[in-house]
Amino acid sequence: SAWAKVFVVFRLASPPLPVVAGQQFTVCAANVGTVKEDLTLQFISVRAGAIVASREVTLPPPGSAGGTPDPCLSTTAEALGAAGSPPDQPPLLVALVVIKRGLFARASAATASVQVTAATSTGERRVVASIPLQLATLINGRNTPIERVQ
């Protein structure tokens, strides 16, 4: 059996984004700190509550030797439709980046945004919006967001 580990967890999230057929959504994260970052990138259907796409990635700090893994996750309007949004309501999507670190790890620093693209008449994809993700974890000076993660 898998043991749950305790992490300090912060979430960066987009506002709910309206979805139009043919659109593609890409969330990308960047490590802007001095230690490696363990991230989960996700797209969530707001109306269905379903995770449409998810990916785990560990990003080294800037300037590290060796390569950096692809820091992005993409999904389409059609994948969101398959998640089962109610037919009488327009679909909405949220991009989410979960930052996990050990209880006694050094401070994390990451940023992320979601790009929305649509096909032009020539078939090329064009960015129609770029939305920065905001800190969604409610914190104050006296608490630390600790969770058990499988």
Side-chain angles (χ1 to χ4, degrees):
S1 73
W3 291 90
K5 294 183 180 179
V6 177
F7 288 99
V8 175
V9 177
F10 292 94
R11 287 174 173 77
L12 303 175
S14 71
L17 305 172
V19 177
V20 176
Q23 286 181 328
Q24 181 173 332
F25 301 84
T26 302
V27 62
C28 294
N31 181 352
V32 294
T34 59
V35 297
K36 73 178 178 80
E37 297 291 351
D38 293 319
L39 308 175
T40 302
L41 310 175
Q42 293 183 326
F43 284 107
I44 300 171
S45 167
V46 173
R47 299 204 189 274
I51 296 173
V52 177
S54 184
R55 176 169 181 247
E56 302 279 332
V57 65
T58 298
L59 297 179
S64 294
T68 297
D70 180 6
C72 300
L73 172 69
S74 294
T75 193
T76 63
E78 291 68 31
L80 179 65
S85 234
D88 60 334
Q89 298 175 346
L92 296 170
L93 185 72
V94 166
L96 178 68
V97 174
V98 180
I99 305 165
K100 297 174 285 199
R101 64 181 183 90
L103 287 178
F104 302 106
R106 295 192 337 211
S108 295
T111 187
S113 68
V114 61
Q115 290 75 44
V116 182
T117 62
T120 65
S121 59
T122 62
E124 295 178 85
R125 299 213 66 83
R126 161 179 84 80
V127 175
V128 294
S130 184
I131 301 106
L133 275 60
Q134 302 292 323
L135 183 63
T137 303
L138 299 178
I139 59 171
N140 62 37
R142 296 173 300 213
N143 70 352
T144 300
I146 298 173
E147 295 182 22
R148 291 191 183 276
V149 179
Q150 290 284 352

